[in-house]
Amino acid sequence: MRGHLWNIAYAKPGDQRWALVDDKGWRTFPNRRVISDGELLRYVWYLSAVTLRGRIYFATFQGNILKLMLHPRPRLVPVVNDQSSHMIWHCGILRHNVVSYLVPANDNHRSLLMVRYYSSLDHLSPDEQRRMKRRKRTTLLKLPGDRPGQYKWHQLEVFKVDLAGKKLIPVENMGHRAVFIGDVTCISFSIQRFPSVYGNAVYLGMNSHCSIACGVRHLNDNRIEPRLEHVLEGGGKAPLGFDKTLRGPERIVPLARPCSLEEYLVCHVGFKYGIKD
């Protein structure tokens, strides 16, 4: 369901072959763009899947949420339509400016949170950017750029998913919860059981979408902590961005060994095979 795989296959006892889930539910979202040559570009991927009360929910990169219904036939049904047009053109290519993650909000899996991360502020107008940068409480992240004295602006938001109201509600306080988000999985737990982990904080996993200098975002005061240092198994500093020359992201490991719980989970949620400790 990740990467360029768009289909969900299913089979029930007695079936002789797999079948594809009806995905016509996508068409109710304004998520299709016609590019210059007239080709229809359906730019929606399944990013995170979460089970809640016996049901399966999916989040798109942009932040829309769909539910998998089984009867009378397996199909995707829209639940929340939010921020579906936050994609930008760059060098003639339509690319993601946002990635959204679903994660259980508590241990009994009775509610959901969504963490939405923007790699730039291109989705905001210049005036909106100026206003947000002036605010004392903001969802913006000011991180060091490629050159000394330069900075890059990102945005990280946390929402409660209101399934009944079909909307997202901004959240500034998760209490004693810690959230780890990544391309492989997303988890949350109470720090009362793991006091070495920060509460009311979002940890960004080591993966291609969130490989930035920020490692932890504290929601109570918008404080940012740098990412824990990682290295390549064969030696050398690990790249922050996605490096196609690497055989696989599992070759990146924490510098300090044995690693802490935080370091292990940051790798666990982001790397396909975790780390080899």
Side-chain angles (χ1 to χ4, degrees), residues 245-261:
T245 64
L246 296 179
R247 295 179 182 177
E250 67 273 12
R251 294 182 59 209
I252 301 177
V253 295
L255 174 63
R257 311 298 286 277
C259 63
S260 66
L261 177 62

Side-chain angles (χ1 to χ4, degrees), residues 32 57 88 107 119 152 166 185 199 202 229 238 244 268-269 274:
R32 299 185 295 175
Y57 295 89
I88 60 175
D107 293 336
S119 59
K152 291 183 178 180
K166 298 183 177 181
T185 187
V202 177
E229 189 171 356
K244 294 183 178 180
H268 171 73
V269 300

Side-chain angles (χ1 to χ4, degrees), residues 196-197 228 254 256-266 275 277:
S196 64
V197 178
L228 299 170
R257 311 298 286 277
C259 63
S260 66
L261 177 62
E262 291 174 299
E263 292 172 313
Y264 174 81
L265 291 175
V266 164
I275 56 178
D277 268 17

Side-chain angles (χ1 to χ4, degrees), residues 82 112-116 157-161 168-171:
D82 192 277
L112 295 175
L113 294 174
M114 174 179 284
V115 179
R116 178 182 291 154
E157 302 171 304
V158 180
F159 301 93
K160 176 184 177 182
V161 180
L168 303 179
I169 302 173
V171 170

Side-chain angles (χ1 to χ4, degrees), residues 60-174:
T60 68
F61 272 79
Q62 299 92 328
N64 299 311
I65 300 176
L66 293 98
K67 177 173 62 176
L68 178 62
M69 297 289 291
L70 298 180
H71 302 287
R73 67 188 188 286
R75 67 195 188 281
L76 294 174
V77 177
V79 177
V80 176
N81 181 1
D82 192 277
Q83 304 290 331
S84 59
S85 61
H86 284 182
M87 297 176 291
I88 60 175
W89 288 93
H90 180 69
C91 298
I93 300 175
L94 189 63
R95 67 176 179 86
H96 299 294
N97 183 42
V98 58
V99 57
S100 303
Y101 300 92
L102 279 181
V103 59
N106 45 50
D107 293 336
N108 57 19
H109 284 220
R110 292 188 176 274
S111 57
L112 295 175
L113 294 174
M114 174 179 284
V115 179
R116 178 182 291 154
Y117 164 73
Y118 292 90
S119 59
S120 71
L121 303 185
D122 294 338
H123 62 289
L124 301 174
S125 69
D127 186 52
E128 289 174 324
Q129 293 184 32
R130 285 191 293 268
R131 289 203 304 268
M132 291 195 68
K133 291 176 182 178
R134 294 193 196 107
R135 295 175 186 170
K136 292 183 178 180
R137 291 193 63 84
T138 178
T139 57
L140 300 186
L141 309 177
K142 185 179 181 182
L143 302 174
D146 299 328
R147 299 177 181 178
Q150 287 189 346
Y151 294 91
K152 291 183 178 180
W153 289 89
H154 306 255
Q155 187 174 12
L156 191 148
E157 302 171 304
V158 180
F159 301 93
K160 176 184 177 182
V161 180
D162 181 358
L163 294 174
K166 298 183 177 181
K167 61 183 179 180
L168 303 179
I169 302 173
V171 170
E172 294 183 353
N173 190 346
M174 298 186 299

